Amino acid sequence: MLKNLKKSKIIQICSRIAKIPFFIPYYFIVHFKFKFDILSPQETSFLLFNKNLSISRFGDGEFNIILRNKSIDFQPYSVELKANLLKILDNKSVNLALPHGLKSTKNDKLTVKTFWWMYVTLHYREIIEFVEKTGQKKFLDASFSRTITELKDRKVIDQTLFNTKKIWENKHVVIIEGHDTRFGVGNDLLSRALDITRILAPSKNAFLKIDEIKSVVVDILQKNNKLKNWSRSNTVVLAALGPTASVIVGQLSLLAQCIDIGHFDLQYEYLLQGKYRPTRISTRFDNENRNGERVSEVTDKQYLDSIYINISEL
C-alpha cells in the first residue's frame, strides 16, 4: 500500500517540487567538493563495444548497501554482499561506473535532476568516501542503461542505444537475469547475436544464489571456449540482477567481457511502446513500477530454448 502510494503521480510531482531548492548546494558540491569525472552515456557505450570493456555499475542502491548497511527493494543487505561489492573496487579487470548525475544533470529530465540534486546534497560525504575507496578519478556512466527515461536529448538516446546494441553484435551472449527479466524477449535487442544462453536467477535476493550462478557461468564459458567458434573476444556476459550483477561482473571479467546491463531491456521496451517514461510492461518484472511483480506468461519457443538452467527456485 505504502509502496504504491509513493509511486502515485501526485506524490511524485509534490516530491519533485520539494527537491528543487537542493540545486544550489548541489551546484557548489559538484564544482568544489567532487574531485572526479564521469563520462557521458555516449562515451561509455562507445568504449564498451569498441574496447570490449567490462563494467560494474554502482548507484544509490549499491551505496545503500556499502555505506549505510541498508537493504534495497529487491535485495536485502548482508555483510557478505557488502564485502563482495567492496572487492570490486580493487579489481583492475573491471571498469567502475557511477551515475553521471553525481557530476552533472545538464542533459537530464527534471524528475532526474531533482533526485540527484537532493541525493548529492544529503550524501556527498559518503560519495566522497566511496570514490576515495576506489582510488580513481574517472568513471564510466552507470546510467547509460537508463537513457530513455532519464535524458532529454533523443539524439543522445539514439546514439547510446546504437552503441550499446553493438556490444553483443556477432557475439555469443550469456545472460544472467531474474526469472521474469526476459532480456531481449519479443524485441530485436539480440537479433544480431550469434546465439543466446540464459541463466534464470531469483528476481529477489539473487545474491543467495551467487555461488551457483558463478559455477554455471564458468562451466558454460570453459566448455564452450573449447569449441572452434567460441573465444573470449566473441563472447559477452550480460548480467541484469541488481547488485548481484555488479558482483558477478567482478568475479567473471577475466573469463569474458561482462556487462552489468541493468534495466536496459525494460527501457527499450518503453521506447518500443512510444514512451520516454516508465510504463507497465506485462511480460517483464519491474521493481520500480506499480504492480511490476505481476508478470504474464511467455511461451515464446526461442526464449524457452535459450534457457540453459533455471536456478531461481532450486
Side-chain angles (χ1 to χ4, degrees):
M1 178 82 173
L2 180 60
K3 181 179 176 182
N4 285 338
L5 182 62
K6 288 180 179 178
K7 293 178 180 178
S8 72
K9 289 184 179 180
I10 294 175
I11 295 297
Q12 288 179 358
I13 291 171
C14 293
S15 174
R16 290 164 200 157
I17 294 172
K19 294 172 185 175
I20 289 175
F22 285 102
F23 173 72
I24 295 174
Y26 169 88
Y27 182 87
F28 175 81
I29 291 165
V30 300
H31 284 84
F32 299 103
K33 293 285 187 181
F34 285 175
K35 306 299 182 182
F36 60 89
D37 293 309
I38 300 174
L39 299 183
S40 71
Q42 310 102 294
E43 292 171 319
T44 296
S45 55
F46 177 79
L47 287 173
L48 290 177
F49 89 78
N50 193 49
K51 300 294 184 179
N52 283 344
L53 302 182
S54 292
I55 180 175
S56 187
R57 299 180 309 112
F58 288 78
D60 57 303
E62 286 73 23
F63 293 157
N64 277 338
I65 294 168
I66 293 174
L67 302 172
R68 289 190 286 282
N69 299 339
K70 184 179 177 182
S71 299
I72 59 176
D73 186 37
F74 57 95
Q75 179 59 65
Y77 166 83
S78 73
V79 174
E80 187 180 2
L81 173 57
K82 176 179 177 177
N84 274 268
L85 286 170
L86 286 172
K87 283 181 183 178
I88 302 170
L89 307 188
D90 297 320
N91 189 335
K92 303 306 179 185
S93 66
V94 176
N95 292 268
L96 303 180
L98 299 178
H100 64 256
L102 297 183
K103 282 292 288 185
S104 173
T105 58
K106 178 181 177 181
N107 296 317
D108 293 326
K109 295 176 181 177
L110 181 61
T111 56
V112 180
K113 290 177 187 286
T114 55
F115 171 83
W116 289 115
W117 294 347
M118 185 178 79
Y119 188 88
V120 168
T121 300
L122 297 180
H123 302 295
Y124 74 92
R125 290 185 179 88
E126 294 172 348
I127 296 166
I128 292 172
E129 177 188 346
F130 176 87
V131 171
E132 288 177 348
K133 286 180 185 293
T134 71
Q136 298 185 21
K137 297 295 183 182
K138 184 172 287 188
F139 300 87
L140 300 180
D141 179 22
S143 299
F144 84 96
S145 63
R146 305 178 71 101
T147 56
I148 289 160
T149 58
E150 297 191 353
L151 298 187
K152 296 182 296 183
D153 191 334
R154 296 188 180 182
K155 289 183 179 179
V156 175
I157 292 172
D158 290 343
Q159 185 61 58
T160 305
L161 279 174
F162 176 81
N163 290 344
T164 305
K165 290 168 75 173
K166 288 186 74 66
I167 293 171
W168 47 80
E169 185 175 305
N170 296 321
K171 289 187 178 181
H172 303 283
V173 178
V174 178
I175 301 175
I176 310 163
E177 60 182 357
H179 182 272
D180 297 317
T181 299
R182 296 163 179 166
F183 190 98
V185 177
N187 60 46
D188 65 345
L189 269 185
L190 299 170
S191 61
R192 293 182 177 272
L194 292 177
D195 48 53
I196 302 161
T197 306
R198 295 179 191 271
I199 300 159
L200 304 190
S203 297
K204 293 186 176 183
N205 202 8
F207 187 72
L208 282 178
K209 300 281 189 176
I210 186 73
D211 292 333
E212 293 171 70
I213 295 169
K214 179 182 176 182
S215 177
V216 172
V217 178
V218 169
D219 181 63
I220 291 170
L221 294 177
Q222 290 182 342
K223 180 176 67 177
N224 287 330
N225 282 344
K226 295 177 182 178
L227 302 177
K228 288 183 179 180
N229 65 335
W230 274 67
S231 68
R232 190 188 186 285
S233 62
N234 71 358
T235 303
V236 61
V237 176
L238 304 180
L241 212 56
T244 303
S246 301
V247 176
I248 284 288
V249 167
Q251 294 182 347
L252 299 176
S253 56
L254 289 175
L255 296 178
Q257 181 185 18
C258 297
I259 308 291
D260 177 1
I261 198 66
H263 283 72
F264 191 82
D265 171 79
L266 258 178
Q267 296 267 313
Y268 193 63
E269 282 289 315
Y270 301 156
L271 182 65
L272 294 179
Q273 298 214 9
K275 306 289 179 60
Y276 285 84
R277 56 178 174 77
T279 189
R280 185 74 189 97
I281 306 297
S282 64
T283 57
R284 303 293 200 271
F285 173 81
D286 186 353
N287 65 292
E288 297 178 356
N289 203 303
R290 185 187 299 186
N291 300 320
E293 296 180 10
R294 299 178 183 175
V295 184
S296 61
E297 248 186 279
V298 170
T299 57
D300 181 278
K301 186 178 185 302
Q302 189 173 10
Y303 163 65
L304 296 175
D305 288 346
S306 70
I307 298 172
Y308 181 83
I309 189 172
N310 179 3
I311 58 173
S312 62
E313 297 178 357
L314 295 181

